[in-house]
Amino acid sequence: MASRTQNPGIQTPENDQENQQNPVTTLATTPWRRIERLSLHLNPFSSNHYDLSHQQMKMLICAARAKKIEVKVVELSSFMRGKHRDIQEQVFDYFKSRPELQTPLEISKDEHRELCMRQLVGLVREANIRPFKYVVEDPAKYFAIAEAVGSVDMSLAIKLGVQYSLWGGSVLNLGTKKHRDKYFDGIDNMEYPGCFAMTELHHGSNVQGLQTVATFDPLTDEFIINTPNDGAIKWWIGNAAVHGKFASVFARLMLPTHDTKGVSDMGVHAFIVPIRDLRTHKLLPGVEIHDCGHKVGLNGVDNGALRFRSVRIPRDNLLNRFGDVSRDGKYTSSLPSISKRFGATLGELVGGRVVLAYSSNGVLKIAATIAIRYSLLRQQFGPPKQPEITILDYQSHQHKLMPMLASTYAFHFATLHLVDKYCEMKKTGDEESVGDVHALSAGLKAYVTSYTAKSLNICREACGGHGYAAVNRFGSLRNDHDIFQTFEGDNTVLLQQVAIDLLKQYKEKFRGGSLAVTWNYLKESMNTYLSQPNPVTSRWEGEDHLRDPKFQLDAFRYRTSRLLQSVAARLQKHSKTLGGFGAWNRCLNHLLTLAESHIESVILERFIEAVRSCPDEGSRSALKLVCDLYALDRIWNDIGTYRNVDYVAPNKAKAIHKLTEYVCFQVRNIARELVDAFDLPDYVIRAPIGLQTPGEAYSQYTQHVGF
């Protein structure tokens, strides 16, 4: 590491030998003639423009040389923790009091599954934490429980999610009163462990392509569930291999007709199918289940594959909120088409994406905490005849971890906003709100989980060889989290859903229609964003300007608007020769970039709002600094886009780069306080190198290996 820099000493604005001094101080050496010319552009009739520019410059220099921000961890943590921290602490306290329920480092697949089941049953029956009632009554509280449980064991969080959000949620959201009355208590108290049987061997993302069939038999008033071919075997079904007694099976509803076809396909519906005897736990007739085996991660979850051979279930087992079948075989629905019913069905399952985005950021908090605390502890090299310095004092290490820490904070506020929007949607059922939450949850789930997956590997590398030790958790966190990118919707598919929605909103903008709340900026400012960049503002390089939330948000939105306009034009052009599908595929990478750009704009907007609403001055200053780093780092990472359209002039691009590095250094100075504010106790972190008390880290680590 020392070989990468001329001076391995602490990187500060005063002693960095690679011209990394305060960027605004560097600006002070700029010829005053240039400042005068710029001032004339801004105020051509002012006679004292020189004095004004000089005063502004001095103010910026003083601001940049300000002392380290004093962060009161308790106040910042109080602002961050939200209104459901109490139930999270109940979860932590329960598992702290039951060390035999802690997941050991070395455990077999079968032992892990049984432990995971004991953990969930203990949480519900001993700790009396009942997540199921919150799925509908208070989703924010349910999500808080899920995040806390995930810090204990991610397998436990997924098993809890399968039981209550997927299996239980399908009964509550897709069924009617008769289903809730019959199944609620059994699901709630874990007497009815269940599965969510949607995915098939040949179909995952394309749910409308599912092949399992449920044919109505009017003679017996039953549905007959069949797996018509190997491709229709239900696959990766959590809780199926060992513990599940019921399954919500998604199948094509087939009704007998009197024409030549013989049956009518009414589209994909959900059915409650018993799969094991409640008393003996033996498989029921016609149900065949096999174990999906050992996985890359989450081996505490018993994933199985299910085949159905003429399994008969009562007609009442159809989850009939959006479509029903009468005794004489007639189909009724308040929704006019298969596509409308399908959309309504999947719309009710969006909570799974919300909890994954929220929980993924919980994983990132743990990983960032471990990596940053270790980086503040670990010392390597130093100036000649002087003490070694911590590895977080190296600019390269700051570059790895500080933007990640800023993103962790940004995601925290964005996912809290998503949870609030989801809760509002569940209360009102407003159609516009439903569409908004669907697109926002798709985008945030895709963006946050992808970012976290990449960051886990960076955190591991940032901790060197000690990061490779299983006891320090990066391996298990990385392996368990990896699937977050593909279940509850493949991230690439979800980003396309965001792009589709943006294009719809773009079309509405020019029709004069109303826009969903999340996309309002497109209507309010599209013309501004698509006009030629101002040649004056494109050259502004003062720190006040670059740290102005308006500049930052405008830059993000300008990029999104440009991408949206250009991809719309490309799609129109290519559709003439390639057709709609071919044009979409030709522009696919462009569309994915558009979706990510939009989600970054939403995240920044929520972060800026959080900074404004923070009541404590010191915490607000710290959050503003972190928000600046989030924004400037992303602008710099895509600086080529801004340069290509002259949104940012060369001098401004250079100023952005230097300020980003300086803000990164400033965030490093309060990094310990920022991770402490996540309020994750040592018994939750459970990594020796990530303990809150630095002096204990190495001693616990050596004790772990036997010294």
Side-chain angles (χ1 to χ4, degrees):
M1 185 174 290
S3 63
R4 297 181 60 179
T5 176
Q6 293 175 353
N7 179 6
I10 298 176
Q11 180 240 337
T12 68
E14 288 76 28
N15 73 358
D16 187 348
Q17 298 302 307
E18 295 182 353
N19 197 32
Q20 298 302 327
Q21 66 268 27
N22 182 336
V24 182
T25 303
T26 302
L27 294 178
T29 64
T30 304
W32 286 106
R33 183 172 61 256
R34 180 177 171 189
I35 298 173
E36 182 176 3
R37 188 166 60 249
L38 176 58
S39 184
L40 278 170
H41 274 298
L42 301 178
N43 192 1
F45 302 106
S46 173
S47 60
N48 62 340
H49 57 269
Y50 181 98
D51 293 334
L52 286 173
S53 299
H54 183 62
Q55 290 299 318
Q56 290 168 352
M57 189 65 68
K58 287 201 299 183
M59 287 173 62
L60 294 181
I61 295 169
C62 292
R65 286 177 173 169
K67 293 180 180 179
K68 172 186 170 182
I69 296 171
E70 294 298 325
V71 182
K72 297 177 182 176
V73 173
V74 174
E75 279 78 2
L76 180 55
S77 181
S78 177
F79 180 67
M80 294 278 292
R81 72 194 316 187
K83 58 185 177 181
H84 295 302
R85 180 64 180 189
D86 56 340
I87 200 162
Q88 291 187 318
E89 289 180 346
Q90 289 179 43
V91 173
F92 296 154
D93 291 344
Y94 172 70
F95 285 103
K96 184 182 181 183
S97 70
R98 294 291 304 274
E100 73 276 12
L101 292 181
Q102 290 283 352
T103 306
L105 285 176
E106 298 181 30
I107 186 171
S108 70
K109 169 174 64 69
D110 293 340
E111 289 173 333
H112 196 178
R113 289 173 172 182
E114 291 310 311
L115 174 61
C116 204
M117 187 63 168
R118 292 201 309 275
Q119 289 171 334
L120 182 53
V121 171
L123 186 73
V124 172
R125 297 180 184 174
E126 292 180 18
N128 200 32
I129 295 173
R130 298 294 181 96
F132 193 36
K133 65 180 179 181
Y134 303 125
V135 169
V136 172
E137 289 179 12
D138 191 352
K141 199 166 190 175
Y142 172 78
F143 297 142
I145 294 170
E147 182 189 25
V149 164
S151 67
V152 174
D153 186 332
M154 237 181 290
S155 287
L156 173 59
I158 299 304
K159 197 168 187 72
L160 178 142
V162 170
Q163 174 68 12
Y164 295 121
S165 182
L166 295 179
W167 151 236
S170 64
V171 172
L172 293 181
N173 295 317
L174 303 181
T176 50
K177 184 178 184 298
K178 63 183 179 183
H179 301 110
R180 289 191 287 271
D181 291 345
K182 183 174 181 179
Y183 293 100
F184 186 96
D185 288 344
I187 295 172
D188 180 50
N189 62 24
M190 289 298 295
E191 288 182 7
Y192 292 172
C195 320
F196 185 80
M198 178 183 280
T199 300
E200 295 177 355
L201 181 62
H202 283 185
H203 288 89
S205 298
N206 182 14
V207 179
Q208 284 185 297
L210 296 180
Q211 299 177 67
T212 301
V213 293
T215 306
F216 182 63
D217 182 352
L219 297 178
T220 61
D221 196 27
E222 294 173 316
F223 286 103
I224 306 169
I225 312 295
N226 268 302
T227 303
N229 54 62
D230 286 353
I233 295 172
K234 295 295 182 181
W235 208 270
W236 290 126
I237 309 304
N239 270 0
V242 180
H243 298 126
K245 297 181 185 293
F246 294 88
S248 290
V249 177
F250 286 76
R252 314 193 76 81
L253 195 163
M254 313 297 285
L255 292 178
T257 61
H258 300 292
D259 56 21
T260 55
K261 290 183 178 179
V263 291
S264 177
D265 185 347
M266 306 307 296
V268 175
H269 290 62
F271 303 82
I272 295 175
V273 181
I275 58 176
R276 287 186 175 91
D277 186 277
L278 286 174
R279 186 175 58 85
T280 67
H281 203 62
K282 290 183 178 179
L283 290 177
L284 293 174
V287 178
E288 182 182 357
I289 300 179
H290 294 280
D291 198 323
C292 286
H294 200 274
K295 305 183 292 291
V296 170
L298 297 176
N299 282 297
V301 182
D302 51 314
N303 293 90
L306 295 84
R307 185 197 294 272
F308 302 101
R309 290 189 174 91
S310 299
V311 175
R312 289 180 172 269
I313 59 173
R315 178 169 54 88
D316 274 354
N317 282 28
L318 166 65
L319 294 171
N320 61 338
R321 178 180 172 188
F322 298 116
D324 203 359
V325 175
S326 64
R327 176 67 184 84
D328 59 358
K330 291 183 179 177
Y331 186 84
T332 57
S333 174
S334 59
L335 300 172
S337 66
I338 288 177
S339 62
K340 288 282 187 182
R341 293 191 292 271
F342 177 75
T345 298
L346 290 193
E348 285 300 320
L349 304 175
V350 76
R353 295 174 184 171
V354 177
V355 75
L356 282 182
Y358 188 75
S359 298
S360 179
N361 191 49
V363 175
L364 185 55
K365 287 176 185 176
I366 293 173
T369 298
I370 297 170
I372 288 169
R373 284 181 178 166
Y374 174 76
S375 299
L376 288 165
L377 168 72
R378 182 73 166 181
Q379 295 178 330
Q380 293 292 290
F381 306 107
K385 298 181 181 180
Q386 292 187 37
E388 291 186 304
I389 65 170
T390 67
I391 59 176
L392 197 56
D393 285 321
Y394 288 98
Q395 189 184 60
S396 56
H397 224 68
Q398 293 170 17
H399 182 70
K400 285 180 181 177
L401 297 179
M402 294 304 96
M404 182 193 302
L405 179 58
S407 295
T408 309
Y409 267 80
F411 298 165
H412 173 84
F413 295 114
T415 54
L416 279 182
H417 170 68
L418 173 61
V419 168
D420 288 343
K421 296 283 289 184
Y422 177 79
C423 294
E424 179 186 330
M425 179 200 77
K426 296 298 287 185
K427 286 180 181 177
T428 65
D430 176 67
E431 188 173 338
E432 184 178 293
S433 178
V434 169
D436 202 23
V437 170
H438 180 268
L440 185 59
S441 63
L444 281 174
K445 184 269 181 186
Y447 191 90
V448 173
T449 59
S450 292
Y451 186 93
T452 298
K454 295 181 180 74
S455 298
L456 287 167
N457 209 51
I458 293 171
C459 286
R460 205 293 300 159
E461 293 174 1
C463 295
H466 295 316
Y468 199 62
V471 70
N472 289 319
R473 299 194 64 192
F474 291 121
S476 60
L477 289 172
R478 182 177 57 190
N479 291 346
D480 286 344
H481 178 274
D482 195 60
I483 192 63
F484 280 41
Q485 299 173 92
T486 46
F487 68 9
E488 290 295 324
D490 177 271
N491 284 356
T492 303
V493 175
L494 294 182
L495 287 174
Q496 289 179 72
Q497 291 180 13
V498 175
I500 289 170
D501 216 60
L502 282 164
L503 288 164
K504 286 180 181 176
Q505 301 297 337
Y506 182 69
K507 192 178 293 184
E508 284 297 316
K509 187 266 180 199
F510 289 106
R511 288 176 178 170
S514 62
L515 274 72
V517 177
T518 304
W519 325 129
N520 267 342
Y521 72 86
L522 293 176
K523 186 173 185 178
E524 293 170 355
S525 307
M526 179 70 82
N527 291 335
T528 301
Y529 292 133
L530 297 184
S531 61
Q532 285 297 109
N534 186 319
V536 176
T537 57
S538 68
R539 288 170 170 77
W540 284 358
E541 55 187 60
E543 182 176 359
D544 278 355
H545 168 65
L546 298 180
R547 297 180 73 165
D548 184 344
K550 185 180 187 308
F551 158 70
Q552 296 166 0
L553 198 53
D554 277 352
F556 277 49
R557 289 173 170 178
Y558 177 86
R559 178 183 58 173
T560 303
S561 299
R562 278 281 173 186
L563 287 165
L564 179 54
Q565 183 202 41
S566 57
V567 81
R570 288 186 66 206
L571 286 168
Q572 186 176 30
K573 171 188 172 183
H574 290 305
S575 62
K576 295 175 182 177
T577 54
L578 301 175
F581 184 85
W584 187 268
N585 195 35
R586 173 68 67 88
C587 300
L588 187 52
N589 289 334
H590 191 158
L591 290 159
L592 297 177
T593 303
L594 164 66
E596 289 179 336
S597 176
H598 169 69
I599 292 301
E600 287 183 349
S601 298
V602 173
I603 293 170
L604 178 59
E605 181 182 14
R606 300 324 308 173
F607 202 169
I608 290 170
E609 181 57 37
V611 173
R612 287 174 179 157
S613 64
C614 183
D616 177 67
E617 184 178 353
S619 299
R620 188 166 60 250
S621 297
L623 289 174
K624 177 64 172 75
L625 186 66
V626 176
C627 185
D628 287 341
L629 179 56
Y630 173 80
L632 293 169
D633 180 68
R634 275 163 175 74
I635 292 171
W636 172 249
N637 286 339
D638 201 18
I639 199 68
T641 297
Y642 295 107
R643 286 288 301 114
N644 285 344
V645 294
D646 290 325
Y647 189 81
V648 169
N651 66 302
K652 188 170 187 174
K654 186 176 181 181
I656 289 170
H657 183 210
K658 290 188 174 183
L659 182 58
T660 302
E661 290 187 339
Y662 184 68
V663 172
C664 193
F665 161 75
Q666 289 182 303
V667 171
R668 174 260 174 269
N669 283 339
I670 57 171
R672 186 184 302 280
E673 292 90 336
L674 290 171
V675 296
D676 286 352
F678 292 147
D679 198 17
L680 295 169
D682 284 348
Y683 60 84
V684 172
I685 294 294
R686 299 197 313 280
I689 64 171
L691 298 182
Q692 195 162 8
T693 306
E696 297 179 6
Y698 282 135
S699 62
Q700 285 214 15
Y701 197 17
T702 53
Q703 287 173 25
H704 172 75
V705 299
F707 286 100

